Amino acid sequence: MRIFNKFSEKLTEFRFIPWRMRHQGGPLNTLIQRPIRQRKLKSFIQDTATQKDGITVIYAIKNRVDYKFWHSLKSIRSQNYDQNLINILVIDYGSSEADLEITRHFCAEFNAELIETHKTGDWNKAHCLNIGIKRTTTKFLLSADTDIIFSKNYVSVLIDTLKSNPLSVIFSKCLDLKKSTAEHLISEFKEGQPLDPEALKSEAEARSSGDANTGINASYTQFYQDIYGYDEFFKLWGSEDNDIKRRLEYFGLESRSIATKAYYLHQWHPKYAGVKDSPELREIINKNHQYYQRDHRIFKNTDDWGEY
């Protein structure tokens, strides 16, 4: 597979071939490369059919650890799926010692593995997630976020969907909770009380008209590893989620939504904190977006992806 990937990436350098034919989302990929990969992926799935249906839920975090993360972890440990098959992996990307101590406490409470990178410099969600993706050994992987509350059937539905449609990457609808719910969430956290997502659902509004918000995604772990994870070019905020969705589609997967069966709630917090008043941050975000628009490669990172 890796030799084929290298050859596929090399095609993008053949300048005598029109760009729309040689970029890795173009007709050359659609007609020839993608079907070949799909046959290889189907063979891999057959070989793993007898493996346990374990899943790793990966969180990337740097500071900003509070009640929202506690509720997210609690929602994973409240899933109606065998908890022995659910691993939680938290990657801390250089938080302050005070925030890191809180994260350690949460991880101990919810039996989550914690990797402390002690990174300095800019936040890089893609690199942070890749540290976890590269080290995941379960059959399935769910890329989560620290302010998300999952419906109790989320994991079971996504795994059933993947087993029925293995060449898929799974998404759902993001439901934004209103600001008025924050006080209740804080109170429940202080009392250590579990939340009922169904009771909160009526206080949420769909983020967009689509049923497949890209921020939360899941598939076979091997597929993420085959494309070398998220593109580590992206810094701070912007486009890494849309990018991995597109690259997995180019690679041979179909994006599939489970919104009619399972959902997740996004806990309220101020939007774009620190961005509106920072020209430097806005410039980086714009560069991320421009890069996403022009770079259609599937294989972005080098072999040292996910290292730290």
Side-chain angles (χ1 to χ4, degrees):
M1 177 70 80
R2 178 157 296 190
I3 294 175
F4 180 80
N5 291 347
K6 292 294 186 183
F7 172 74
S8 178
E9 186 172 2
K10 194 71 176 177
L11 285 175
T12 64
E13 301 175 8
F14 294 167
R15 300 302 176 185
F16 59 87
I17 301 175
W19 178 83
R20 292 194 179 278
M21 286 295 293
R22 59 184 163 83
H23 88 73
Q24 291 184 319
L28 184 62
N29 177 73
T30 302
L31 298 175
I32 300 175
Q33 297 166 319
R34 192 172 187 268
I36 292 174
R37 289 192 209 98
Q38 287 177 326
R39 287 196 291 271
K40 292 179 178 294
L41 297 179
K42 288 178 180 177
S43 176
F44 160 77
I45 290 165
Q46 291 174 352
D47 292 341
T48 61
T50 59
Q51 292 182 7
K52 291 183 178 180
D53 294 330
I55 185 169
T56 296
V57 184
I58 296 181
Y59 288 95
I61 190 168
K62 182 174 183 177
N63 298 320
R64 300 189 181 188
V65 54
D66 58 14
Y67 69 94
K68 294 187 291 295
F69 188 28
W70 186 90
H71 282 302
S72 188
L73 291 168
K74 185 68 174 181
S75 74
I76 292 298
R77 287 302 180 211
S78 300
Q79 293 291 302
N80 62 0
Y81 191 75
D82 186 351
Q83 285 292 328
N84 292 320
L85 295 176
I86 299 179
N87 297 337
I88 300 177
L89 179 57
V90 178
I91 315 301
D92 184 273
Y93 206 70
S95 294
S96 67
E97 185 59 32
D99 279 344
L100 180 55
E101 188 58 36
I102 298 172
T103 299
R104 289 172 183 148
H105 177 74
F106 285 176
C107 287
E109 181 176 357
F110 293 106
N111 190 28
E113 180 184 356
L114 174 62
I115 295 178
E116 301 178 14
T117 68
H118 303 288
K119 286 286 294 182
T120 58
D122 289 336
W123 167 242
N124 188 326
K125 178 184 175 183
H127 181 220
C128 188
L129 286 169
N130 283 352
I131 292 169
I133 291 171
K134 195 165 192 177
R135 289 155 182 80
T136 295
T137 58
T138 54
K139 184 187 291 189
F140 304 110
L141 183 150
L142 170 59
S143 178
D145 213 342
T146 58
D147 53 12
I148 296 302
I149 296 173
F150 293 92
S151 63
K152 293 183 178 181
N153 66 339
Y154 198 90
V155 169
S156 60
V157 170
L158 80 83
I159 288 179
D160 285 346
T161 304
L162 282 171
K163 291 172 70 175
S164 300
N165 308 274
L167 294 188
S168 300
V169 54
I170 304 300
F171 301 94
S172 189
K173 182 186 287 290
C174 178
L175 303 177
D176 282 322
L177 288 171
K178 299 175 183 178
K179 182 178 181 179
S180 57
T181 62
E183 184 176 348
H184 173 67
L185 290 166
I186 293 171
S187 175
E188 295 296 276
F189 161 66
K190 289 180 177 178
E191 296 177 7
Q193 296 297 318
L195 287 167
D196 181 6
E198 281 297 313
L200 281 172
K201 190 178 179 182
S202 62
E203 299 294 322
E205 298 176 347
R207 170 165 296 191
S208 65
S209 59
D211 286 338
N213 293 98
T214 59
I216 307 299
N217 51 81
S219 193
Y220 281 78
T221 300
Q222 187 63 48
F223 301 161
Y224 289 93
Q225 294 174 343
D226 281 344
I227 67 168
Y228 310 146
Y230 285 77
D231 185 351
E232 295 180 7
F233 170 87
F234 296 106
K235 302 293 193 300
L236 297 177
W237 293 276
S239 301
E240 65 274 349
D241 297 321
N242 291 332
D243 178 79
I244 200 164
K245 176 180 183 291
R246 185 173 69 183
R247 288 164 57 221
L248 287 168
E249 290 174 345
Y250 288 171
F251 187 61
L253 304 187
E254 176 185 354
S255 290
R256 193 176 297 274
S257 176
I258 58 173
T260 59
K261 298 179 179 179
Y263 61 91
Y264 57 88
L265 305 172
H266 175 253
Q267 298 173 79
W268 181 88
H269 58 79
K271 291 184 178 180
Y272 311 116
V275 175
K276 290 183 179 179
D277 300 324
S278 173
E280 293 81 9
L281 290 180
R282 289 200 301 270
E283 182 180 355
I284 291 172
I285 293 170
N286 288 335
K287 285 182 178 179
N288 286 342
H289 181 70
Q290 292 167 8
Y291 169 79
Y292 167 73
Q293 292 295 330
R294 71 172 183 267
D295 194 321
H296 288 257
R297 291 174 299 156
I298 299 172
F299 312 104
K300 301 287 194 74
N301 303 315
T302 57
D303 288 341
D304 64 351
W305 69 278
E307 296 300 331
Y308 68 100

